Amino acid sequence: MATPALPDGDTVTGESFSADKYFATQPPPPSLEHDVARVKEFLQRQLKEQRKVVLVTSGGTTVPLELNVVRFLDNFSAGTRGATSAEYFLKAGYAVIFMHRQFSLQPFSRHYSHSTHPFLDFLDVTEPPTPSSSSSSAPPDITVRPSERVQLLEVLSAYKAVQRAGTLLTLTFVTVNDYLWLLRAVSQEMGVLGRGCLFYLAAAVSDFFLPRQKMSVHKIQSGKGSLHIEMDQVPKILKPLVDEWTREGYIVSFKLETDEGLLIPKARQALARYGHQVVIGNDLHRRKFEVVFVSPKSPHSASEPSQSPSAAYEETWLRIDLEQNPHKEIEEDIVAELVRRHGLWVDGGARTVA
Amino acid sequence: MATPALPDGDTVTGESFSADKYFATQPPPPSLEHDVARVKEFLQRQLKEQRKVVLVTSGGTTVPLELNVVRFLDNFSAGTRGATSAEYFLKAGYAVIFMHRQFSLQPFSRHYSHSTHPFLDFLDVTEPPTPSSSSSSAPPDITVRPSERVQLLEVLSAYKAVQRAGTLLTLTFVTVNDYLWLLRAVSQEMGVLGRGCLFYLAAAVSDFFLPRQKMSVHKIQSGKGSLHIEMDQVPKILKPLVDEWTREGYIVSFKLETDEGLLIPKARQALARYGHQVVIGNDLHRRKFEVVFVSPKSPHSASEPSQSPSAAYEETWLRIDLEQNPHKEIEEDIVAELVRRHGLWVDGGARTVA
C-alpha cells in the first residue's frame, strides 16, 4: 500500500501533471454524469430564453490524504466572493451556474449564516390572539421579528423570483478532483453559448494534489514521528479551458496574494501564459474594498509600440469606501464592470462574424 | 524566513512536543482571555443553580501552513456528533459549554443546513387578506409552510427555552492551537464543579501541527516542484487533562478509525495511557448506527484476576436499527448512557468524601 507518510525522510520527486495525463489517470466523481445532464438541460433553457450565462466557481477545494478521508489539505475560502457575485449576476439578468464547495456560502442564504446571523434568533413563537367568540386554543404561531422583516422580505422575494425564473443551477464539489472534472465538463457544455458565456473562476483551487495511486487506504497513523506529505502539482487548467474547452467564452480568473508586490506581476504572468481575458487580483487583507482588474491592452488603446511588458497589459483599480458606505459590497461594482466588458466581447464577436 | 516547503528533499526531524513545551512556545489565541471570562461567569451561574455541566468539543481543527493563512490541513468533521449530543445533554438537564469549530454544525440550527434543508425554502411571502373595510395595501407577510411548521415549532421552542434558562455557552475555535489553549483554560475552570463536570471530547483534533517558528509568512508559492510539508506531533493533551487540569472530571474521548480491527485495541491503549473513564470508538462508515463504549472494568465486576489486557477493560456496544426507526439519533442513547454513568461517578465521589 502506498503511503504519503515517509518517516525516514525518503522523498519522491513530485510530478507536474498535464491536463491530459490528469484526466487519464484520476477517476471522475460518481455524480459527474448526473450533474452534466442537469447542466445540459439548464443551458438549453437559457439558450431558448436568450439569456447570457455565467459559471461562478466558489469556495476552496480539498486534497484528501487518505482514500477513506479523515484528513485533507484545504484552501481558505468561505465563498463570500462567489456567493455575493452570483446574486449580482442574477440581478443583472444572467443565468448562473453556481459551482461551489459543499457547505460554503450560497447566494441568498449567505445573509443568514448560522454563526453570525442565525435565523432562529429572529423567529418568535407567539400565542395567537384568542378571538372573543371562541375559547378553543389555537396552536402557537411563528412570526418574524419586526427588526428583521424588511431585509428578509427583500432576500426572500429575490430568491423566490430566481426560483420561478429557473435561472440558478447549483453544483457542488469537495475535492480538487471533483472540481477539475466538473469544470472541464461544464465548460465543454457551455460552448453552445458561443460568446454569450462568462467564466468567473473565484474558487480557491489547490495547486497541489495527491494522486489516487499514492494515497493511503486508511487513516494515516500518528505516533511514528512527524507527518511528511509529498504532493504533485495540479495541472494548469486555464490552458485547456482557453485553448480547447470553451474557445469563445469570456474568462475571468482570480489571484489572491498576501504579498501585495506579487499581485500585478503574477496576474500578468497568468494572462501571458493562458491568454484569457481578465485576472482580478486581490490582497488577502484588502479584498473586501479593493481589487484590480488586469487585462491585455486592447489594440486601439496602445498609443505607441513598446517592448516593456507593462505596455501589453492595463490595470483598472476598483475601490469602495466602507466608512462612507458600510453596507456596500464590492462585488456589485466587480459584476457591473464585467457585465459591461462581456457586452463588448459579445458585440466584438458579432462584428467578427458579420 | 523558515519555510515548510523543502523542494530538495531535505528533512527536519519532527519533534514530539510535551504539553508544557507546547504552551511555552506557541502563542495563545487573542480571544482567550475574553472566552475565559465568559466561562467563569457561566460556571458560577450553573454552580448556584446546582446543574451538572458538560463540555462538548465538536468539529475538526485546522493546521495553518502559512502565517497569513491561505492553506491549511484539516480533519474531516461536520460536527454532527457534537451538535446532536449537545441537544440531548440540554434535554437531560445539563448545562453545556459547546466548544466548536467555526461554521461546523450547532445545536438547534443543525436541523436547517443551508445545503440540505434551507430555511428560505419553507418561508413564503404572502399578501395579507385585505380587510373589506379598507383598501390600503398592507405589506406582504412572511409565513412558514404548513409542512414544516410542527418541526420548526419544536426546535424553536427548545431553543428559546435554553436561551431563557441560560444553559448553553458557545465557544469557537479554528486552528488546533486555538483548540489546545481553549481546552486547557476551560478544563482548569471546570475544576470548581468537582465531580459534577463531564468532558465529551468529540472534536476531530489534528495529531500534527506546524510550530509558529517554522511557518512561512506568505502564501507558499507553487511552481517550484511539489509541496513538501514536515509537521510536528501535537502533545497528547489527555494526559495533563486527566492528571492536572481537571482531576475529578468524568472524561470521555472518541476514537474514529476506518480500519475496524484497530478500534478496540486503540481505545484500550488510550485508556491505559491516559487513565480516563471512557473511550467511545466509532468506525467512519458505521458511526451513525453503532458505537462501542470501552472503559476500565469496575473493581467489583472483575470476577477473577487475569493477566490478559482484555480482563482490565470492558466493552459495551450501542446499536440502533435505522430501518425500523429512521429518525432515531444514536446520540440520544450515547447521552443517556453517559448521564447514567456520570451519575454513578458523582455518587461514588460523594461516598468517598462521606
Side-chain angles (χ1 to χ4, degrees):
Chain A
M1 168 183 29
T3 161
L6 304 166
D8 56 353
D10 196 15
T11 55
V12 179
T13 304
E15 281 186 73
S16 185
F17 276 57
S18 72
D20 283 347
K21 180 175 172 197
Y22 185 92
F23 291 111
T25 57
Q26 305 303 308
S31 55
L32 186 66
E33 232 174 288
H34 175 69
D35 284 340
V36 171
R38 292 168 63 214
V39 169
K40 270 187 206 290
E41 189 275 330
F42 183 81
L43 290 175
Q44 284 307 323
R45 200 146 37 76
Q46 308 311 329
L47 253 184
K48 209 176 293 170
E49 298 174 13
Q50 298 189 301
R51 272 196 204 92
K52 290 176 189 158
V53 178
V54 59
L55 171 69
V56 175
T57 71
S58 184
T61 62
T62 69
V63 180
L65 304 185
E66 298 136 328
L67 284 176
N68 284 292
V69 181
V70 175
R71 276 176 280 217
F72 53 91
L73 193 81
D74 203 341
N75 276 49
F76 165 76
S77 173
T80 309
R81 181 77 88 212
T84 307
S85 302
E87 262 182 52
Y88 287 107
F89 277 118
L90 287 163
K91 218 180 220 173
Y94 274 70
V96 175
I97 299 181
F98 185 69
M99 184 176 141
H100 79 125
R101 160 74 174 277
Q102 186 183 29
F103 305 132
S104 68
L105 292 179
Q106 295 185 53
F108 307 111
S109 66
R110 73 182 173 98
H111 300 281
Y112 298 100
S113 151
H114 289 312
S115 305
T116 56
H117 192 193
F119 84 103
L120 289 175
D121 275 357
F122 60 76
L123 295 182
D124 284 320
V125 180
T126 47
E127 299 298 328
T130 331
S132 54
S133 59
S134 153
S135 63
S136 77
S137 60
D141 206 8
I142 300 167
T143 55
V144 177
R145 214 161 274 186
S147 59
E148 295 284 347
R149 196 174 296 231
V150 172
Q151 195 206 1
L152 182 57
L153 254 180
E154 196 181 309
V155 173
L156 199 56
S157 303
Y159 178 65
K160 301 285 173 190
V162 164
Q163 283 192 313
R164 276 193 304 271
T167 48
L168 174 61
L169 176 69
T170 300
L171 301 173
T172 304
F173 61 83
V174 176
T175 67
V176 64
N177 186 57
D178 298 344
Y179 172 88
L180 293 171
W181 277 95
L182 206 48
L183 179 64
R184 183 173 80 154
V186 173
S187 61
Q188 287 170 337
E189 295 299 329
M190 283 175 75
V192 300
L193 291 158
R195 289 199 164 212
C197 64
L198 177 59
F199 290 78
Y200 188 82
L201 306 174
V205 183
S206 176
D207 295 316
F208 302 100
F209 80 110
L210 194 63
R212 198 164 175 90
Q213 294 76 4
K214 287 191 187 175
M215 265 188 218
S216 168
V217 173
H218 290 296
K219 186 176 168 185
I220 301 165
Q221 294 302 322
S222 59
K224 295 178 188 160
S226 62
L227 179 70
H228 191 115
I229 309 164
E230 173 79 35
M231 279 182 289
D232 291 335
Q233 272 192 64
V234 163
K236 300 298 178 192
I237 214 69
L238 269 170
K239 193 75 193 150
L241 183 71
V242 173
D243 291 347
E244 299 168 38
W245 304 338
T246 175
R247 289 171 174 231
E248 296 185 298
Y250 189 85
I251 300 175
V252 183
S253 71
F254 284 79
K255 271 270 170 235
L256 174 73
E257 293 293 337
T258 61
D259 181 348
E260 242 199 300
L262 289 177
L263 216 49
I264 289 180
K266 290 191 72 82
R268 288 179 181 167
Q269 197 184 62
L271 290 172
R273 191 174 290 168
Y274 309 121
H276 60 301
Q277 284 68 44
V278 181
V279 175
I280 299 183
N282 43 156
D283 176 85
L284 184 65
H285 302 291
R286 303 174 65 79
R287 68 194 193 285
K288 301 276 182 197
F289 55 88
E290 182 184 278
V291 300
V292 58
F293 280 52
V294 185
S295 49
K297 252 185 196 161
S298 51
H300 29 95
S301 74
S303 46
E304 69 242 63
S306 159
Q307 299 306 313
S308 91
S310 64
Y313 302 103
E314 56 191 7
E315 284 95 44
T316 309
W317 288 88
L318 288 189
R319 291 188 186 90
I320 59 173
D321 185 341
L322 286 177
E323 275 181 32
Q324 288 242 319
N325 208 342
H327 297 295
K328 170 88 177 180
E329 295 176 312
I330 195 167
E331 288 80 4
E332 183 175 358
D333 292 353
I334 295 174
V335 168
E337 175 62 15
L338 287 178
V339 166
R340 189 186 72 75
R341 293 186 183 206
H342 186 213
L344 295 174
W345 174 258
V346 172
D347 293 347
R351 270 205 308 279
T352 312
V353 170
Chain B
M1 170 185 22
T3 162
L6 303 167
D8 55 353
D10 195 14
T11 54
V12 179
T13 305
E15 281 187 72
S16 184
F17 277 56
S18 71
D20 283 347
K21 182 176 171 196
Y22 185 93
F23 292 110
T25 57
Q26 305 303 308
S31 55
L32 186 66
E33 232 174 287
H34 175 70
D35 283 341
V36 170
R38 290 169 64 216
V39 169
K40 271 187 206 287
E41 189 276 329
F42 183 81
L43 290 176
Q44 283 307 321
R45 200 149 33 79
Q46 307 312 328
L47 253 183
K48 211 177 291 170
E49 297 175 13
Q50 297 189 301
R51 272 196 204 92
K52 289 175 189 158
V53 178
V54 60
L55 170 69
V56 175
T57 71
S58 184
T61 62
T62 69
V63 180
L65 303 185
E66 298 136 328
L67 283 176
N68 283 293
V69 181
V70 175
R71 277 176 279 219
F72 53 91
L73 193 81
D74 203 341
N75 276 50
F76 164 76
S77 174
T80 310
R81 180 77 89 212
T84 308
S85 302
E87 261 182 52
Y88 287 108
F89 276 119
L90 288 163
K91 217 180 222 176
Y94 274 69
V96 175
I97 299 179
F98 186 69
M99 183 177 141
H100 79 126
R101 161 72 175 277
Q102 187 183 28
F103 305 131
S104 69
L105 293 178
Q106 295 186 51
F108 307 111
S109 66
R110 73 181 174 98
H111 300 281
Y112 298 99
S113 152
H114 289 311
S115 306
T116 55
H117 193 193
F119 84 101
L120 289 175
D121 275 356
F122 60 76
L123 295 183
D124 286 320
V125 180
T126 48
E127 299 298 327
T130 332
S132 53
S133 58
S134 154
S135 64
S136 76
S137 60
D141 207 8
I142 299 167
T143 55
V144 177
R145 213 160 274 186
S147 59
E148 294 284 348
R149 196 174 296 230
V150 171
Q151 195 206 2
L152 182 57
L153 255 179
E154 196 182 308
V155 172
L156 198 57
S157 303
Y159 178 66
K160 301 284 174 189
V162 163
Q163 284 193 313
R164 277 193 302 272
T167 48
L168 174 61
L169 176 70
T170 300
L171 301 172
T172 304
F173 60 84
V174 176
T175 67
V176 65
N177 187 57
D178 298 343
Y179 172 87
L180 293 172
W181 278 95
L182 205 49
L183 178 64
R184 183 173 81 154
V186 174
S187 61
Q188 286 171 336
E189 295 301 329
M190 283 175 75
V192 299
L193 291 158
R195 291 199 162 212
C197 65
L198 177 59
F199 290 79
Y200 188 82
L201 306 174
V205 183
S206 176
D207 294 317
F208 303 100
F209 79 110
L210 195 63
R212 195 162 178 93
Q213 295 74 8
K214 288 191 187 174
M215 267 187 217
S216 168
V217 173
H218 289 297
K219 187 175 166 185
I220 300 164
Q221 293 301 322
S222 58
K224 294 179 187 160
S226 61
L227 180 68
H228 191 115
I229 309 163
E230 173 79 34
M231 279 183 287
D232 292 335
Q233 273 192 64
V234 163
K236 299 300 177 190
I237 213 71
L238 269 171
K239 193 76 192 147
L241 183 70
V242 173
D243 291 347
E244 298 168 38
W245 304 339
T246 174
R247 290 175 170 227
E248 294 185 299
Y250 190 85
I251 299 174
V252 182
S253 72
F254 284 78
K255 271 271 169 234
L256 174 73
E257 293 293 337
T258 62
D259 181 349
E260 241 199 303
L262 290 177
L263 214 50
I264 290 180
K266 291 191 71 83
R268 287 178 183 167
Q269 198 183 60
L271 290 173
R273 192 175 289 168
Y274 309 121
H276 60 301
Q277 284 67 46
V278 181
V279 175
I280 298 183
N282 42 156
D283 176 85
L284 184 65
H285 301 292
R286 303 174 64 79
R287 68 193 193 284
K288 301 277 182 197
F289 55 88
E290 182 185 279
V291 301
V292 59
F293 280 52
V294 184
S295 49
K297 253 184 196 162
S298 51
H300 26 96
S301 74
S303 45
E304 70 242 60
S306 158
Q307 299 305 315
S308 92
S310 64
Y313 302 104
E314 57 192 7
E315 285 96 42
T316 309
W317 288 89
L318 288 189
R319 291 188 187 91
I320 60 172
D321 185 341
L322 286 176
E323 276 182 30
Q324 288 242 319
N325 208 342
H327 297 295
K328 170 87 179 185
E329 296 177 312
I330 196 168
E331 288 80 3
E332 183 177 358
D333 292 353
I334 295 175
V335 168
E337 175 62 15
L338 286 178
V339 166
R340 190 186 71 76
R341 292 188 184 204
H342 186 213
L344 295 174
W345 173 259
V346 172
D347 292 346
R351 269 204 309 279
T352 312
V353 171

